[in-house]
Amino acid sequence: MTELRSLVIVLGDQLDLDAAAFDGFDAALDAVWMAEVAEESTHVWSSKPRIAMFLAAMRHFALELQAAGRPLHYSRLDSEGNAGSLGAQLKADILRLRPARLVMTAPGDWRVLQAIRAVAEAGDLPLEIREDRHFFASVREFAAHARGRKTLRMEYFYREQRKRHDVLMQGDEPVGGRWNFDADNREAFSADGPGAVPPRIRFEPDAVTREVIALVNARFAQHPGSLDSFAWPVTRVQALKSLQAFVEQRLPLFGRYQDAMWPGDPWLYHSHLSAALNLKRLNPREVVAAAERAYHDGHAPLASVEGFIRQILGWREYVRGIYWTQMPDYAQRNALNARADLPAWYWTGDTDMACLRDALAQTLTHGYANHIQRLMVTGLYALLLGVEPRQVHAWYLAVYVDAVEWVELPNTLGMSQYADGGVMGSKPYVATGKYIQRMSPHCKACRYDPAQRSGDSACPFTTLYWDFLMRHEAVLAGNPRMSLQVKNVARLTDVQRQQVSERATAIRRGEVGPSGRT
Ligand SMILES: Cc1cc2nc3c(=O)[nH]c(=O)nc-3n(C[C@H](O)[C@H](O)[C@H](O)COP(=O)(O)OP(=O)(O)OC[C@H]3O[C@@H](n4cnc5c(N)ncnc54)[C@H](O)[C@@H]3O)c2cc1C
Ligand code: SF4
């Protein structure tokens, strides 16, 4: 038997034939290793759409590898003897295949990196971890940017990225004379609604995906969510079609309605490309280039194109830098000492709060919610309620088809829950129900009133907003960006404080809501 030179490890979110792990790959000497293991679906209670997304994309990638003539050792979840975890499966396969070394592209998850390192060390095998060149910036470049800075704001990093990669630049200046068109990108829909939004591009499951759907429904029957409308892009060709459809149909209005919400429609003018990007079916360079081209061709306005590019070249790269420069301590942060449990209805959508019910229903049905629903509906409610950040993190990592820890954790712990004490955001993103009322018509169909902070019809967001400010008054007083809100809370009388506290306690005890008293 000829010796296996390199076993190239490919994880479920590394589905790229051009990844660094394949540099120098020789089909006569090397082989690829992939494994479906239950632990990746159970270490957080993953939703059916998320599990199916990863498995379907992995199985299609396996076919692409075979077509490219790269020998592959692939363990299916349902194959006899599947070891159940990445570490255990890799260990068993190393004993069987006896490679001289392991090679992989840097993984996106701290836990997985530790597990693979442990197997390599135990087997006394060299493990070569190669740069993930999927990203514009390396972790080292981000660390260099971060060095010596007191705060790590996305905006400065983003400007460096624009210059370094010559994106939307005219010489040394940003195209259009401004770096940021955020102020133009905050519109809500009129009372008539979003109008004729193009239908979302759907990919009907082929035989491979149907087999995965049946497997997930059988094996993970108790997990949240449904696969009845699964239509995500799981192949490279489908991912490219998704990109093309977004640029042609949605990008022109992306910026304008970036923060808007509409009941029953999570898709709106968003791209729905996050899962394809995070599983590496799409490269951010081709996504940014397609958007920039649409601006130069006169197909989409600058505010939309800049707004979209900022999400990819700015936010996406910035959160990755935060993750890898702050882990592993980052995952333990709880700056606001939040201790409450995540309400059980986050897993079912069974609440009478119209905005939350809608966001949760879409999440469970599609494994998707748009950014503003994640930040200002589900995230805001957990923050105001004071849910322990690790529980919020476990929920976000479980439910979305695009959830991979390097991107999910900083968004949840940092941006949404302020659990990192200000590494990512200069203040907690807190608001009353009136914010949701401004950005969507949900409140019209809700039994609660966003203008009321106490009493039986008070919107729980509004009650909990004031309760949040009261609970954290002393800490927030030291934050200049919170001074207005702190001044407002200082004006409350003792009676008003008492009323807010009583209502907040009733909400916490679950006495408000579908099964509660009021
Ligand atoms: C609490 C919370 C948890 C989140 N968890 C995830 C997650 O697990 N995976 C994930 O990909 N995104 C996450 N996000 C960021 C963002 O909400 C999603 O990327 C976006 O909603 C995906 O939908 P889309 O592809 O239609 O995005 P669009 O609105 O079309 O945006 C375009 C692209 O920009 C990128 N992007 C946008 N916002 C962010 C951001 N804040 N951070 C990183 N990339 C961004 C994504 O790749 C996205 O596809 C989270 C946000 C919050 C507030
Ligand atoms: S009233 Fe409050 S709970 Fe109801 S939809 Fe509006 S913000 Fe959501």
Side-chain angles (χ1 to χ4, degrees):
M1 189 171 114
T2 45
E3 189 187 279
L4 181 59
R5 181 180 65 172
S6 302
L7 190 60
V8 177
I9 299 170
V10 172
L11 301 169
D13 63 344
Q14 298 184 323
L15 311 180
D16 176 8
L17 286 172
D18 297 324
F22 292 116
D23 288 356
F25 189 92
D26 182 338
L29 299 172
D30 306 320
V32 185
W33 179 88
M34 294 178 73
E36 302 171 358
V37 290
E39 189 188 42
E40 294 308 302
S41 306
T42 55
H43 80 99
V44 291
W45 200 41
S46 289
S47 70
K48 294 189 189 92
R50 179 174 186 258
I51 304 171
M53 177 77 209
F54 276 78
L55 296 187
M58 285 170 74
R59 288 189 182 188
H60 281 97
F61 186 68
L63 296 175
E64 290 169 36
L65 283 170
Q66 277 160 6
R70 298 183 194 172
L72 171 66
H73 299 279
Y74 189 102
S75 303
R76 288 166 61 118
L77 193 73
D78 48 354
S79 64
E80 210 177 307
N82 184 297
S85 74
L86 282 174
Q89 187 64 49
L90 182 59
K91 198 171 158 191
D93 289 336
I94 286 171
L95 286 175
R96 188 168 56 86
L97 300 167
R98 305 210 162 276
R101 61 172 186 162
L102 302 174
V103 173
M104 71 183 306
T105 307
D109 189 310
W110 180 270
R111 175 186 58 88
V112 171
L113 175 61
Q114 304 315 313
I116 291 173
R117 273 198 177 136
V119 173
E121 270 167 33
D124 206 15
L125 261 186
L127 167 64
E128 188 184 331
I129 297 179
R130 296 185 181 162
E131 184 74 54
D132 190 350
R133 56 178 181 237
H134 167 90
F135 295 94
F136 282 88
S138 67
V139 174
R140 212 168 283 128
E141 280 167 351
F142 184 86
H145 163 88
R147 207 164 297 130
R149 286 178 197 260
K150 279 200 190 122
T151 55
L152 286 176
R153 296 296 164 251
M154 194 286 290
E155 185 64 28
Y156 301 110
F157 172 68
Y158 167 59
R159 289 180 192 181
E160 276 183 12
Q161 292 264 88
R162 289 263 301 268
K163 286 187 206 157
R164 181 174 299 140
H165 299 284
D166 195 23
V167 174
L168 287 181
M169 294 298 294
Q170 220 161 20
D172 289 340
E173 295 302 316
V175 167
R178 273 158 64 191
W179 291 103
N180 184 322
F181 289 78
D182 225 10
D184 302 357
N185 288 347
R186 295 211 176 115
E187 264 185 65
F189 297 112
S190 72
D192 298 335
V197 184
R200 162 206 186 208
I201 183 166
R202 290 179 53 87
F203 300 96
E204 293 309 328
D206 63 5
V208 174
T209 302
R210 284 200 301 275
E211 198 184 358
V212 164
I213 288 175
L215 173 67
V216 174
N217 277 331
R219 179 88 185 251
F220 302 100
Q222 303 309 316
H223 284 233
S226 121
L227 293 172
D228 295 348
S229 61
F230 188 91
W232 289 101
V234 290
T235 68
R236 168 85 179 134
V237 171
Q238 291 173 344
L240 287 169
K241 281 188 184 159
S242 294
L243 171 60
Q244 191 187 355
F246 165 68
V247 171
E248 281 171 9
Q249 300 167 6
R250 286 177 151 78
L251 177 61
L253 287 176
F254 171 88
R256 188 161 162 197
Y257 296 121
Q258 210 176 322
D259 286 0
M261 290 180 279
W262 197 258
D265 188 348
W267 314 112
L268 298 170
Y269 290 100
H270 293 274
S271 70
H272 331 134
L273 293 176
S274 49
L277 277 162
N278 296 350
L279 272 58
K280 317 283 159 59
R281 304 272 55 195
L282 279 180
N283 188 297
R285 283 176 188 78
E286 65 196 351
V287 176
V288 165
E292 196 175 3
R293 219 165 27 242
Y295 164 67
H296 290 301
D297 291 351
H299 173 64
L302 182 56
S304 264
V305 170
E306 188 282 315
F308 178 72
I309 286 179
R310 178 154 22 102
Q311 308 308 315
I312 309 268
L313 187 64
W315 280 110
R316 188 167 184 270
E317 302 265 326
Y318 165 81
V319 298
R320 175 170 180 261
I322 295 276
Y323 180 82
W324 283 108
T325 52
Q326 305 282 324
M327 280 297 277
D329 304 353
Y330 197 74
Q332 310 304 328
R333 306 247 175 117
N334 187 358
L336 296 173
N337 197 23
R339 298 279 169 223
D341 285 332
L342 186 77
W345 46 258
Y346 263 65
W347 298 101
T348 61
D350 181 19
T351 170
D352 61 358
M353 289 179 257
C355 56
L356 272 161
R357 192 173 55 231
D358 200 40
L360 292 172
Q362 291 160 5
T363 297
L364 295 168
T365 307
H366 303 295
Y368 178 85
N370 61 49
H371 182 65
I372 212 68
Q373 292 175 303
R374 297 188 205 196
L375 186 65
M376 296 310 282
V377 181
T378 44
L380 174 61
Y381 195 75
L383 170 64
L384 296 177
L385 198 60
V387 178
E388 191 194 1
R390 283 196 67 79
Q391 293 187 37
V392 189
H393 156 53
W395 183 80
Y396 276 99
L397 188 57
V399 293
Y400 291 111
V401 290
D402 57 28
V404 186
E405 196 175 86
W406 64 265
V407 53
E408 177 279 327
L409 185 69
N411 269 298
T412 303
L413 227 86
M415 190 191 302
S416 162
Q417 303 299 298
Y418 197 68
D420 65 7
V423 174
M424 272 189 70
S426 53
K427 66 178 183 110
Y429 279 101
V430 285
T432 66
K434 283 186 176 174
Y435 173 83
I436 292 168
Q437 185 183 35
R438 199 163 57 245
M439 299 315 294
S440 81
H442 280 108
C443 303
K444 284 188 205 149
C446 186
R447 56 166 294 215
Y448 300 111
D449 178 355
Q452 303 297 318
R453 71 174 158 235
S454 58
D456 283 356
S457 59
C459 162
F461 280 88
T462 305
T463 305
L464 291 172
Y465 166 83
W466 289 100
D467 176 70
F468 178 93
L469 293 182
M470 282 159 44
R471 287 189 292 119
H472 299 296
E473 205 170 344
V475 176
L476 299 178
N479 184 333
R481 295 207 56 211
M482 292 298 288
S483 59
L484 194 68
Q485 283 156 304
V486 171
K487 264 187 210 150
N488 286 338
V489 83
R491 286 199 197 103
L492 293 183
T493 64
D494 288 348
V495 173
Q496 286 169 327
R497 282 173 182 257
Q498 178 71 20
Q499 288 167 337
V500 167
S501 288
E502 278 171 12
R503 176 84 175 158
T505 303
I507 293 168
R508 282 210 177 79
R509 286 195 185 130
E511 292 164 8
V512 174
S515 53
R517 283 200 304 266
T518 60

